[in-house]
Amino acid sequence: MHDKLALSDDILLQIEKPERYIGHEYNSVVKDPETVGIRFAMCFPDVYEIGMSHLGIQILYHLLNSMPDVWCERVYSPWPDLDRIMRKEQIPLFALESQDPIRDFDFLGITIQYEMCYTNILQILDLARIPLLAAQRGEDCPIVIGGGPCTYNPEPLADFFDIFYIGEGETRYGQLLELYRECKAQGLGRLEFLRRTAREVPGMYVPRFYEAAYGQDGVLQSFGPIEEGIPARVRKELVTDLKDAVYPDKPVVPFIKVTQDRVVLEIQRGCIRGCRFCQAGQLYRPVRERDVETLKQYAVQLLHNTGQEEISLSSLSSSDYSALAELVDFLMETCAGQHTNISLPSLRIDAFYLDVMSKIQDVKKSSLTFAPEAGSQRLRNVINKGLTEEMILNGATLAFQGGWNRVKLYFMLGLPTETPEDIRGIGELANRIAAAFYETVPKENRKNGRVQIVVSTAFFVPKPFTPFQWAAQCVPEEFLHRAYLTRTAISEQLNQKSIKYNWHEADVSVMEGVLARGDRRLGKVIQKVYEKGGIFDAWGEYYDDSRWREALAECGLSADFYTHRERPLDELLPWDFIDCGVTKEFLKREWERAQRAEPSANCKVKCEGCGAAGFGCGICVIPGRKSS
Amino acid sequence: MNKIRIKFQKYGPIRYIGHLDVMRFFQKAIRRAGIDVSYTSGFSPHQIMSFASPLGVGMESRGEYMDIQVNSLPAPREGKSVCDVLVEDLRRVCVEGLEPVSARILPDTAKNAMASVAAASYTVRFREGREPGGFCALPEAGRQDKIRAFTGQERIPFVRETKKGAREIDLRPGIFSLVWKDRAFEMLLDASSAGNRKPGHVAAAFFDFLGEPLGENALWITREDLFARGEDGIMGELISLGEMGSADPETEVLHEP
């Protein structure tokens, strides 16, 4: 056993949850460093409990460790209590498995899942003693490579990364690491390795070989490679056939309770729905299903190899998985008598769902979740959310008959074209659901007398590669005004006593909007915020809006430029050089249809010609499907 | 239905895993091992499992115990007893540093581990560089004299800080034995639910008695074993929790605690 711990007993005994930093979890991989050529540190830049819940990391950990010459270890953001101690006592950031300093690794991979973790990325680099700016890194520094959804607009982070891997990690790590070995063997330096990566490995964006120029008005004027042979566009990588894709059959089992404390079975990638606000729905096209027989085997193996007491299906919209009923039946059979729970998020609430739920869950304890996202049918058409009031009321009524009495409703405020009418619709819809309860359930059967409806609103953040990438975002005051209108509308309803209302913070939603559609100039802002002490910005208690406002001002930039401005359709966007498969023409068409409140068909009904068919896989190649 | 007592060790970096997480770990490990553990009934069934005595975070132990109830025992194989098979199956799905070492089948009438615990033995060492200079510089006989003087007191008052404030307790009746051997204290202390005494408190009281300050985190504590009282009532002889019951119900007569 390697007893080494990077942190002393004195430190481990005074910090919160020392288990976050000691490794040794079941199924974690320990190799002999003498036998591997490449040391890879895989980082989720947030606290352990969040990072350990992420399936993508488990997939890459499994993939990289299946290569005999590679040892992939994990690293997460030290919580502020340990962060302070590491700075004071000058302890370098270390990987969990070997407890060795990250600085000595060949690669530091960072998954970038949400914008508000950007300052945590700088924390990781800084604690690891890697220069924040890629341009200042020497030959002895790890290659810092980023992946994940935020890399579809990597520009705000361009200064800090050596490479961005655009797309799904399964496809190109083999080739990239082979190139690294080759360059090392030939004694080529860091720069030459990066140059060859940019030239030879598909999906790799090496920001130092590109330059951006801005006009007087601050708008991006030109963007492109500064060297011959560097591609002008970077096309997303994806797994065309998930049937043969690797799956982590022995995921690491944490000691402490983490956010996703269960076995996760990814049933498909992508989504047929095409909701216009949803970035994932565009980025991961086309929809590719996993084979149901393979999934059944995985389910059994995963439960056996982890001992977990719960299994959850993962996808953007599980109801659209073609073999869902077969898979769920299998899971119910397999789990029966095994004290294993089944959890089914992202499912449409209909007769099938309620039937399954009544078999696998204690109805009295569970609540129904609907995400209408907008309060009126008009606005739901704008965002192409194919959920009608009728579907919601039918689902709720069926559920009330089945004994459910708690409903959660999720909405967004500040969607394009939203009017006070649409906002009032939120209160009215909640009221109608409550009324359906009182009509459906006779008085004597009402537990606690009342139905509990919880309405939550998030503020809309336009994201790259969505039809709303050109849309204006509200300023914080406007967001709060709309939350106030929502609250007022709810309080005017007949059943208002059955409805509870929660809304998100407005400031952080705007800053998320700045980073989401930002450009390279924001790198300086992120660095300033970090230098002012900003870390864990995704955590409400650590987010400080004034730091961000000050940093923007110091850099001569404004949040409004990035968020509040409706972008003209011919503007050069910072992420235009990335090809995610979905064409700009399609997004424009969708943006125009949105403004006319016209819905589009989902991929199963009709092909709308988004461009993802160019990958030649998934739902795009299913024979007999109508195309436009 | 059988009650099984499993003895396990906790050492190395695993000493930082908290008690509840050790429980969660074994719940999953038991499922991985395919042990036919019994569950409670009701809406949220859980494994029938109880631990003898929680171990403080940062402490190592060579003698921890958990009792589980199983619906059926594994089949003996390769000439190994049922208990050895069970330990082997479980150990295969555990991590280094949190390992089952032996198991015994308890009679149905046995009290659970927690209720049985009467005493615990500890080895208390000093962390490198934190040895109290005065005490360690004494000749061996001098050290033994100091310990005799300390344990010879009628009362050993100690102020325990709790969430509710400070409270004075008497450590003396809870110290069954205190010996200095091989540069470490060996302590046998009361570990019953009513009279539990902590080795850190005893060491602190001792150095307080000597008038010698003890540095922060100076102690390295290992729990060696847990004991129950034998058959002859409250003052009965102490037996290790790991020696109760039987390793093989087919061949041995069950030892009633």
Side-chain angles (χ1 to χ4, degrees):
Chain A
M1 164 176 217
H2 65 106
D3 271 357
K4 185 175 142 192
L5 286 173
L7 302 172
S8 70
D9 289 327
D10 291 326
I11 294 172
L12 287 164
L13 285 168
Q14 66 171 293
I15 55 174
E16 215 179 284
K17 301 197 185 165
E19 295 152 303
R20 287 167 174 162
Y21 312 107
I22 63 170
H24 284 84
E25 302 95 325
Y26 187 71
N27 284 339
S28 58
V29 177
V30 174
K31 295 189 181 185
D32 177 358
E34 300 302 319
T35 66
V36 294
I38 296 178
R39 301 282 298 269
F40 199 115
M42 189 61 81
C43 172
F44 191 113
D46 206 322
V47 72
Y48 179 90
E49 291 90 318
I50 305 282
M52 276 299 289
S53 303
H54 188 248
L55 178 64
I57 294 262
Q58 296 265 16
I59 292 177
L60 292 177
Y61 184 77
H62 174 85
L63 170 85
L64 292 167
N65 279 322
S66 70
M67 303 174 183
D69 189 42
V70 181
W71 184 9
C72 176
E73 306 182 42
R74 295 157 300 140
V75 57
Y76 303 102
S77 307
W79 191 247
D81 61 345
L82 179 60
D83 176 272
R84 271 189 299 276
I85 295 171
M86 290 176 78
R87 283 168 206 275
K88 195 169 139 239
E89 309 207 356
Q90 306 203 344
I91 299 165
L93 186 69
F94 54 92
L96 293 186
E97 282 80 354
S98 65
Q99 303 273 312
D100 286 338
I102 299 294
R103 182 68 155 69
D104 300 339
F105 279 59
D106 296 281
F107 283 87
L108 169 59
I110 303 180
T111 180
I112 316 167
Q113 294 290 320
Y114 31 85
E115 291 79 4
M116 297 322 289
C117 76
Y118 289 1
T119 47
N120 278 36
I121 294 172
L122 300 198
Q123 176 209 23
I124 292 282
L125 294 171
D126 202 10
L127 290 178
R129 301 188 186 162
I130 298 169
L132 299 184
L133 299 176
Q136 292 174 0
R137 285 175 204 148
E139 295 296 331
D140 58 338
C141 283
I143 302 288
V144 180
I145 179 166
C150 291
T151 62
Y152 286 88
N153 177 21
E155 286 304 275
L157 292 171
D159 295 345
F160 312 118
F161 280 83
D162 296 303
I163 308 173
F164 289 104
Y165 182 135
I166 313 297
E168 294 169 355
E170 287 101 331
T171 58
R172 294 292 171 188
Y173 268 114
Q175 188 184 346
L176 181 70
L177 298 182
E178 192 47 52
L179 179 63
Y180 179 77
R181 265 182 221 113
E182 195 185 314
C183 290
K184 222 172 151 183
Q186 293 173 17
L188 302 174
R190 183 183 191 90
L191 188 66
E192 195 48 32
F193 165 67
L194 292 173
R195 181 174 287 123
R196 289 191 56 187
T197 297
R199 287 180 171 186
E200 297 169 25
V201 188
M204 301 300 139
Y205 166 49
V206 180
R208 73 177 69 199
F209 296 123
Y210 297 77
E211 212 166 61
Y214 305 89
Q216 291 270 306
D217 53 1
V219 170
L220 185 65
Q221 220 166 33
S222 68
F223 181 90
I226 51 171
E227 267 186 33
E228 281 291 311
I230 303 290
R233 273 170 82 71
V234 181
R235 185 162 165 88
K236 163 181 95 172
E237 276 298 304
L238 91 172
V239 181
T240 50
D241 187 358
L242 283 174
K243 192 164 181 178
D244 302 319
V246 292
Y247 205 82
D249 57 348
K250 289 179 179 164
V252 179
V253 185
F255 287 107
I256 54 175
K257 216 171 161 51
V258 298
T259 314
Q260 183 87 253
D261 195 29
R262 52 188 72 86
V263 160
V264 179
L265 201 57
E266 186 197 39
I267 58 174
Q268 60 186 355
R269 282 199 194 156
C271 180
I272 58 167
R273 298 272 149 189
C275 297
R276 290 176 182 136
F277 56 85
C278 177
Q279 191 186 31
Q282 305 293 342
L283 294 184
Y284 305 137
R285 286 180 175 218
V287 169
R288 289 146 293 152
E289 295 194 345
R290 285 188 188 266
D291 174 58
V292 68
E293 293 306 325
T294 317
L295 286 176
K296 288 178 189 173
Q297 285 173 24
Y298 285 157
V300 172
Q301 282 169 14
L302 285 163
L303 287 168
H304 179 259
N305 292 343
T306 60
Q308 292 281 16
E309 287 160 337
E310 187 167 323
I311 183 164
S312 173
L313 301 186
S314 162
S315 80
L316 292 166
S317 171
S318 297
S319 299
D320 297 323
Y321 178 64
S322 57
L324 183 72
E326 183 183 344
L327 181 61
V328 169
D329 279 346
F330 174 82
L331 290 179
M332 286 198 292
E333 251 171 63
T334 307
C335 297
Q338 300 295 310
H339 302 284
T340 305
N341 297 320
I342 304 170
S343 123
L344 302 170
S346 307
L347 234 62
R348 194 168 47 237
I349 294 175
D350 55 16
F352 168 77
Y353 173 85
L354 294 169
D355 179 50
V356 170
M357 292 310 280
S358 64
K359 287 177 192 153
I360 64 174
Q361 255 194 11
D362 179 8
V363 169
K364 290 180 211 83
K365 284 184 197 152
S366 64
S367 63
L368 298 169
T369 304
F370 293 97
E373 308 292 0
S376 70
Q377 194 54 50
R378 185 200 71 81
L379 195 52
R380 284 194 293 273
N381 289 346
V382 169
I383 63 175
N384 202 35
K385 181 87 192 182
L387 184 65
T388 63
E389 182 162 322
E390 197 190 347
M391 286 156 77
I392 297 168
L393 289 174
N394 284 346
T397 304
L398 271 174
F400 295 148
Q401 286 163 353
W404 274 269
N405 66 350
R406 285 193 289 172
V407 180
K408 286 188 213 159
L409 296 172
Y410 290 103
F411 296 94
M412 273 186 280
L413 289 175
L415 288 163
T417 79
E418 184 180 60
T419 65
E421 270 311 295
D422 300 313
I423 293 172
R424 237 189 322 279
I426 294 173
E428 288 163 5
L429 179 59
N431 187 57
R432 267 179 234 127
I433 294 170
F437 176 83
Y438 297 114
E439 283 159 25
T440 310
V441 183
K443 232 179 192 152
E444 58 276 18
N445 296 351
R446 290 177 201 163
K447 250 194 347 128
N448 313 326
R450 238 180 231 154
V451 62
Q452 289 174 46
I453 296 177
V454 179
V455 172
S456 300
T457 60
F459 295 119
F460 169 63
V461 181
K463 295 279 165 102
F465 293 111
T466 67
F468 291 161
Q469 64 178 357
W470 294 278
Q473 194 188 8
C474 294
V475 295
E477 298 72 29
E478 180 59 29
F479 271 145
L480 293 175
H481 176 63
R482 293 187 191 198
Y484 170 76
L485 289 182
T486 311
R487 202 183 58 177
T488 314
I490 288 172
S491 68
E492 285 165 7
Q493 302 301 320
L494 188 64
N495 294 305
Q496 49 112 347
K497 283 193 176 153
S498 306
I499 308 168
K500 189 177 175 301
Y501 176 48
N502 304 317
W503 64 94
H504 285 203
E505 292 291 322
D507 291 337
V508 70
S509 302
V510 170
M511 222 43 80
E512 184 187 326
V514 169
L515 295 173
R517 291 189 293 168
D519 52 41
R520 273 192 187 196
R521 293 172 299 182
L522 288 173
K524 292 208 168 47
V525 176
I526 298 165
Q527 194 173 343
K528 275 183 191 291
V529 170
Y530 173 70
E531 283 161 2
K532 289 171 193 289
I535 49 168
F536 285 94
D537 281 301
W539 295 70
E541 67 265 43
Y542 290 105
Y543 179 75
D544 179 353
D545 198 54
S546 62
R547 275 190 202 127
W548 286 90
R549 296 274 163 189
E550 279 167 28
L552 278 165
E554 287 165 23
C555 295
L557 298 169
S558 86
D560 285 0
F561 171 81
Y562 293 104
T563 60
H564 196 47
R565 186 170 67 88
E566 183 172 321
R567 288 157 167 77
L569 288 176
D570 60 358
E571 182 173 317
L572 181 63
L573 302 171
W575 53 92
D576 276 348
F577 74 99
I578 287 176
D579 174 7
C580 79
V582 171
T583 62
K584 205 167 179 182
E585 282 59 47
F586 168 74
L587 296 175
K588 280 180 190 165
R589 258 189 341 260
E590 283 290 293
W591 175 223
E592 282 155 3
R593 277 187 185 175
Q595 280 154 330
R596 298 194 301 268
E598 276 176 32
S600 290
N602 75 49
C603 300
K604 273 193 185 164
V605 172
K606 174 170 162 278
C607 175
E608 296 279 6
C610 72
F615 290 112
C617 63
I619 194 164
C620 303
V621 295
I622 290 173
R625 216 169 45 96
K626 279 182 255 168
S627 63
S628 60
Chain B
M1 295 278 204
N2 280 100
K3 272 190 192 178
I4 315 270
R5 174 161 299 160
I6 298 167
K7 179 179 184 176
F8 63 95
Q9 298 185 334
K10 189 181 175 193
Y11 62 89
I14 299 298
R15 67 186 178 277
Y16 287 103
I17 309 299
H19 176 65
L20 287 176
D21 295 321
V22 168
M23 261 176 77
R24 284 165 30 85
F25 173 84
F26 278 117
Q27 281 162 3
K28 288 179 177 147
I30 283 169
R31 292 167 63 91
R32 293 194 287 263
I35 293 168
D36 187 14
V37 66
S38 313
Y39 282 78
T40 59
S41 50
F43 270 125
S44 51
H46 53 268
Q47 293 179 9
I48 299 180
M49 172 187 268
S50 69
F51 283 73
S53 170
L55 188 70
V57 169
M59 270 194 225
E60 296 191 322
S61 177
R62 282 190 261 267
E64 292 300 289
Y65 297 91
M66 65 174 166
D67 292 354
I68 60 171
Q69 187 180 303
V70 295
N71 300 319
S72 65
L73 291 165
R77 62 170 182 248
E78 298 152 17
K80 293 183 192 109
S81 74
V82 162
C83 285
D84 287 349
V85 168
L86 191 135
V87 167
E88 195 177 274
D89 287 351
L90 188 59
R91 189 205 279 265
R92 209 165 21 83
V93 292
C94 287
V95 295
E96 226 180 329
L98 198 50
E99 298 156 25
V101 288
S102 61
R104 307 279 282 194
I105 296 170
L106 298 179
D108 293 343
T109 52
K111 281 197 282 185
N112 74 35
M114 189 176 272
S116 310
V117 175
S121 55
Y122 301 91
T123 304
V124 180
R125 294 182 186 79
F126 298 108
R127 282 209 163 78
E128 219 179 299
R130 299 190 192 185
E131 301 86 354
F135 177 71
C136 290
L138 290 174
E140 186 58 29
R143 283 197 287 259
Q144 301 295 355
D145 287 345
K146 296 286 185 195
I147 291 172
R148 261 195 303 277
F150 174 69
T151 52
Q153 299 175 97
E154 211 159 287
R155 285 192 81 243
I156 302 178
F158 181 79
V159 179
R160 192 171 61 175
E161 307 282 344
T162 66
K163 279 174 198 150
K164 287 178 217 148
R167 200 164 70 87
E168 196 187 275
I169 52 171
D170 181 11
L171 297 178
R172 185 62 199 91
I175 303 174
F176 300 156
S177 89
L178 174 63
V179 179
W180 172 261
K181 203 175 144 193
D182 298 334
R183 307 175 57 79
F185 294 105
E186 288 178 3
M187 300 184 186
L188 182 67
L189 305 179
D190 189 338
S192 66
S193 55
N196 185 45
R197 292 293 177 258
K198 292 184 176 176
H201 291 171
V202 172
F206 177 64
F207 285 97
D208 199 39
F209 171 78
L210 297 186
E212 180 165 12
L214 194 60
E216 206 183 337
N217 298 330
L219 304 175
W220 179 278
I221 302 173
T222 307
R223 183 143 80 188
E224 299 293 343
D225 207 356
L226 290 164
F227 302 88
R229 288 280 171 207
E231 282 146 33
D232 26 334
I234 190 144
M235 292 313 288
E237 130 196 47
L238 293 170
I239 30 172
S240 165
L241 286 190
E243 281 163 18
M244 299 165 81
S246 148
D248 195 340
E250 300 298 311
T251 56
E252 279 179 43
V253 181
L254 293 185
H255 180 163
E256 288 285 341

